[in-house]
Amino acid sequence: MLYFSDYELDTFLLEDAYRGDLTTRSLGIGQHKGKMVFKRKQAGRVAGVEVAHALLTKLGLQPVIHIADGVDVDAGTVLLEVEGKAEQLHTGWKAAQVVLEWCCGVAQYTADMVAQVQLANPNGVVACTRKSIPGTRKLATAAVLAGGGHIHRAGLSETLLVFTNHRRLCQEPENWQQHVVRLRQQAPENKITVEADTLDQVAELVKAAPDIIQLDKFSVAEVLQSQQLLAKSGQQTMLSVAGGINRNNAAEYARTGVTLFITSAPYYAAPEDIKVIITPI
């Protein structure tokens, strides 16, 4: 479970209902009692239920969770239901629905990708980057976890990852060993990942022995060549692949024997359809 603050929940709600529900108010039905049910229209992975529950609870409602995040369900399964006044139900309706639809979409894509990777390589891990849509990073984290994925790095402060854009500003950009030694001194508790853009860089990087060499936009053939370079070096460095890794090609990369796959693709998955039905009680 990820904790969402009152501020974050209020932001979601106020984006849609900053001056109340004009339609409900104009119809004079605000005090009418109703029941609201959220169903996953198609079969698949569930995500966003905890956040939707928290949003509805903020409105003074007492929603009931029927399916937990991370579970696969049949089409038409009820995920969440709640009873209350129409003004409360309509205020929370779209905010909760959109959270569920977007999170289920991300979780479904992640789950599909994880399944494909692990079918080819049971030890494979799909890890998502910090390149999420602005404002959605925490929701994205919750959805990726519900999909069986991992988080590569949720922000700049979490891990050490040296890009070419870092090295260009160093006095000796190609002195890989110097970079690795400095990082081990400055951050002894953190693993060191260095990104490689070419096979020539991989050949130099293995000598510096970072914990992970991240292969950026490498073809499958180049990944196999990188593994050969690493094997010859005798180093225990791990390889990861990043850049363009998605649901369509992950299995092919997994068959190389690499076990860590870095991706942003799930964040841009199509949302899943969540059916919302409000009936009087």
Side-chain angles (χ1 to χ4, degrees):
M1 172 183 162
L2 296 182
Y3 174 74
F4 281 76
S5 69
D6 285 343
Y7 170 79
E8 291 168 312
L9 297 172
D10 285 339
T11 298
F12 292 154
L13 290 167
L14 288 170
E15 186 173 44
D16 191 41
Y18 67 104
R19 291 183 181 176
D21 178 2
L22 178 60
T23 306
T24 298
R25 186 165 63 241
S26 299
L27 287 172
I29 61 172
Q31 299 303 304
H32 292 198
K33 296 291 185 66
K35 178 180 179 180
M36 181 162 62
V37 176
F38 296 83
K39 298 181 179 181
R40 200 186 195 291
K41 195 167 183 180
Q42 305 297 329
R45 187 63 56 95
V46 172
V49 173
E50 289 285 350
V51 180
H53 180 276
L55 287 169
L56 297 171
T57 301
K58 281 285 291 179
L59 296 170
L61 296 166
Q62 295 181 318
V64 177
I65 293 176
H66 288 281
I67 301 294
D69 290 336
V71 176
D72 289 317
V73 299
D74 295 330
T77 299
V78 174
L79 309 182
L80 189 71
E81 67 177 59
V82 62
E83 295 181 359
K85 296 177 182 178
E87 61 184 7
Q88 296 169 300
L89 300 180
H90 281 275
T91 297
W93 169 12
K94 281 300 175 185
Q97 182 184 23
V98 169
V99 163
L100 286 168
E101 290 187 333
W102 189 78
C103 286
C104 283
V106 172
Q108 187 64 61
Y109 193 106
T110 304
D112 290 347
M113 197 167 170
V114 169
Q116 291 177 23
V117 162
Q118 293 188 346
L119 185 63
N121 185 339
N123 295 317
V125 171
V126 174
C128 291
T129 74
R130 72 182 207 269
K131 289 172 64 177
S132 53
I133 299 164
T136 68
R137 191 169 299 183
K138 190 181 287 189
L139 278 178
T141 298
V144 166
L145 295 177
H150 294 251
I151 298 301
H152 169 54
R153 59 199 305 244
L156 290 170
S157 306
E158 291 200 345
T159 61
L160 296 170
L161 175 52
V162 181
F163 291 108
T164 301
N165 282 335
H166 289 111
R167 293 189 301 101
R168 287 195 185 105
L169 300 179
C170 295
Q171 277 193 330
E172 298 180 68
E174 305 305 317
N175 193 334
W176 307 94
Q177 190 160 3
Q178 182 184 79
H179 304 325
V180 172
V181 168
R182 177 180 174 82
L183 290 172
R184 292 206 189 282
Q185 292 172 340
Q186 295 296 316
E189 294 184 293
N190 296 85
K191 283 191 174 183
I192 299 167
T193 303
V194 184
E195 188 168 80
D197 301 316
T198 65
L199 279 168
D200 288 342
Q201 290 181 354
V202 173
E204 293 302 314
L205 255 177
V206 293
K207 300 174 187 176
D211 297 295
I212 302 172
I213 298 174
Q214 183 165 297
L215 309 176
D216 185 45
K217 297 181 179 64
F218 276 44
S219 67
V220 170
E222 289 172 326
V223 171
L224 292 171
Q225 289 177 273
S226 297
Q227 288 177 305
Q228 292 172 358
L229 288 170
L230 183 58
K232 288 179 182 178
S233 75
Q235 300 286 4
Q236 296 303 306
T237 298
M238 180 181 186
L239 294 179
S240 65
V241 292
I245 307 301
N246 56 56
R247 189 165 53 185
N248 298 323
N249 62 18
E252 186 179 7
Y253 279 93
R255 285 191 283 270
T256 65
V258 172
T259 57
L260 181 55
F261 305 90
I262 312 302
T263 182
S264 306
Y267 301 145
Y268 303 94
E272 294 290 335
D273 194 355
I274 301 296
K275 182 72 172 177
V276 181
I277 302 172
I278 300 177
T279 53
I281 55 174

